[in-house]
Amino acid sequence: MIHNFNAGPSHLPAEVLEEARQAIVNFNGSGLSILEIGHRTPLFSEVVAEARQLICDLMQLDNDHEVLFLHGGATTQFMQIPMNLLDADETMHIVHTGVWSKKAIREAQCFGKVNILASSENNNFNYIPVDFCVPEAGKYFHITSNNTIYGTQWHKIPDAPIPLVADMSSDILSRKLDFNAFELIYAGVQKNIGVAGASLVVVNKKILGNVSRDIPPIMDYREHIKAESMLNTPPVFAIYMSLLTLRWLKNAGGIDAIEPVNKEKAALLYDVIDNSSIFKGTARREDRSTMNVTFTAKSREIEQAFLKYAAEKGIYGIKGHRTVGGFRASLYNAVSPDSVKYLISVIKEFESGHNG
Ligand SMILES: *Cc1c(COP(=O)(O)O)cnc(C)c1O
């Protein structure tokens, strides 16, 4: 058995894969594959409608918040958000916490002014800055709620007197938050919701229609809302996989039930790393992520040896991002506590071999 800790695309529940396998051959007894049905048929519009409804339910969204499944991953949202929200003479504020916020900054600069309120670049993004105040003069304020690469996470969402926008690609649906406090939330679905090919956008429709530029219709959130997330052929399979995973989460008790499990998984792993004589966590303790646990080994040799050892033991996807090095274990919703305990046993075994 392989234990998958990949950062994204990432592990999916076994029963979701089993159901998907069935649907690829014969979707809902229709005699057709999910891959070949028309997206404008009731067979598929029910899929989109249920997936959108499940997001509303799980996140407890109010009536102003619309749910969209769009093409292009989170990266397209780095561009689409400022195109819809930011005029050329307006400013958006952002806290810079890594590679992903850098891309959000770069894309937004194509449309308006970007003010970096705070940054943790001075320490290779191993912490979440706290020393800043969001000004009232500004169109919106952007954060990356969980920094997949560095293993940092905002544990307290900052107050902002202007609309709050968050890239939640790697921690959406993992913990309780007041999601209605955000005017826009986006996430590539391949980390904590489904498979590559779609992004989730949750937007408060009240903030739309407030820029002077002519937005190309395919990029205009209002057009997607009007078309109920079916403006053109949607990423059918990615949405279907999201539906299965959302159902799985709902059946498991939703965010209320998964949050303590996620906390426990992360606490177990951090505890082993903190008590290790050869491994060391890379993120500042109070900002550590429950989703991506980043750590390094004492030396390059040990690092190489552990990667090899872990692979032999059936552990997949724990090599750290090249900008941080070392290791990263991603503990998304679908990763079971048993897999985490298995990883811990492998770390301990390896460590005793290196001390003995
Ligand atoms: C993975 C990731 C992205 C990029 O997502 P794509 O779907 O590949 O565009 C953006 N932001 C965060 C926080 C991520 O983890």
Side-chain angles (χ1 to χ4, degrees):
M1 177 175 176
I2 302 288
H3 297 266
N4 184 359
F5 296 94
N6 206 46
S10 42
H11 182 59
L12 291 159
E15 56 263 48
V16 164
L17 291 175
E18 199 48 56
E19 239 187 301
R21 176 163 78 164
Q22 183 58 45
I24 285 177
V25 182
N26 182 357
F27 173 57
N28 269 1
S30 65
L32 295 158
S33 166
I34 182 72
L35 302 176
E36 59 185 3
I37 59 172
H39 63 288
R40 305 255 178 230
T41 61
L43 271 177
F44 188 68
S45 49
E46 281 167 18
V47 168
V48 181
E50 187 185 342
R52 293 173 83 206
Q53 189 57 47
L54 279 169
I55 291 287
C56 278
D57 295 347
L58 289 163
M59 296 172 75
Q60 296 181 11
L61 298 173
D62 64 27
N63 289 335
D64 289 331
H65 284 75
E66 295 281 348
V67 177
L68 301 172
F69 286 96
L70 304 177
H71 291 278
T75 304
T76 301
Q77 293 308 310
F78 296 150
M79 171 272 292
Q80 194 167 358
I81 291 165
M83 181 184 274
N84 278 265
L85 301 186
L86 190 65
D87 257 331
D89 59 348
E90 292 176 327
T91 301
M92 76 90 135
H93 302 282
I94 187 166
V95 176
H96 181 27
T97 51
V99 163
W100 300 120
S101 63
K102 191 179 188 107
K103 294 193 185 198
I105 290 166
R106 179 67 195 93
E107 300 277 339
Q109 283 168 337
C110 298
F111 297 95
K113 295 181 190 139
V114 176
N115 177 40
I116 300 172
L117 274 183
S119 163
S120 50
E121 190 164 19
N122 62 346
N123 229 343
N124 198 29
F125 304 109
N126 77 345
Y127 68 102
I128 300 288
V130 285
D131 253 356
F132 65 88
C133 187
V134 185
E136 271 175 48
K139 196 65 180 289
Y140 61 93
F141 171 53
H142 181 288
I143 63 167
T144 311
S145 61
N146 184 75
N147 296 278
T148 326
I149 292 172
Y150 314 90
T152 63
Q153 187 173 28
W154 292 79
H155 292 294
K156 186 184 172 299
I157 302 299
D159 291 322
I162 52 178
L164 183 55
V165 173
D167 177 358
M168 291 196 190
S169 291
S170 51
D171 70 347
I172 189 150
L173 304 177
S174 72
R175 56 170 170 164
K176 273 185 283 179
L177 285 175
D178 176 8
F179 295 106
N180 293 309
F182 297 83
E183 266 69 30
L184 197 150
I185 294 167
Y186 63 107
V189 299
Q190 70 274 25
K191 281 156 188 156
N192 220 4
I193 302 180
V195 300
S199 48
L200 171 72
V201 174
V202 171
V203 60
N204 183 338
K205 56 186 177 231
K206 287 190 168 155
I207 63 165
L208 302 176
N210 216 351
V211 285
S212 56
R213 86 172 48 82
D214 199 13
I215 303 168
I218 191 64
M219 285 292 128
D220 192 331
Y221 293 127
R222 293 169 301 178
E223 297 292 331
H224 287 281
I225 292 169
K226 238 188 284 167
E228 298 182 340
S229 203
M230 298 257 276
L231 189 54
N232 62 330
T233 313
V236 168
F237 190 63
I239 295 174
Y240 178 66
M241 291 302 287
S242 297
L243 170 63
L244 295 185
T245 308
L246 292 166
R247 280 184 187 157
W248 168 85
L249 178 57
K250 189 180 176 182
N251 289 337
I255 300 178
D256 280 347
I258 207 85
E259 179 177 31
V261 178
N262 286 333
K263 278 190 176 156
E264 178 66 12
K265 288 185 302 188
L268 288 173
L269 184 51
Y270 282 122
D271 188 55
V272 171
I273 294 165
D274 287 342
N275 289 303
S276 165
S277 55
I278 56 175
F279 296 112
K280 197 168 170 288
T282 60
R284 185 165 74 178
R285 213 172 257 260
E286 58 268 41
D287 301 325
R288 283 171 167 177
S289 167
T290 55
M291 293 281 100
N292 310 98
V293 175
T294 51
F295 56 105
T296 53
K298 230 167 34 179
S299 71
R300 199 76 203 122
E301 291 68 49
I302 295 178
E303 199 175 295
Q304 291 306 321
F306 181 64
L307 276 177
K308 187 161 170 282
Y309 185 79
E312 283 165 10
K313 294 282 177 180
I315 288 186
Y316 174 79
I318 58 157
K319 195 175 188 326
H321 190 268
R322 61 187 180 281
T323 56
V324 178
F327 314 98
R328 167 177 51 182
S330 296
L331 313 181
Y332 301 127
N333 287 349
V335 175
S336 72
D338 282 346
S339 277
V340 178
K341 285 174 193 158
Y342 179 73
L343 172 60
I344 288 170
S345 73
V346 169
I347 291 174
K348 285 183 170 167
E349 265 169 39
F350 177 82
E351 186 158 355
S352 64
H354 269 258
N355 289 336

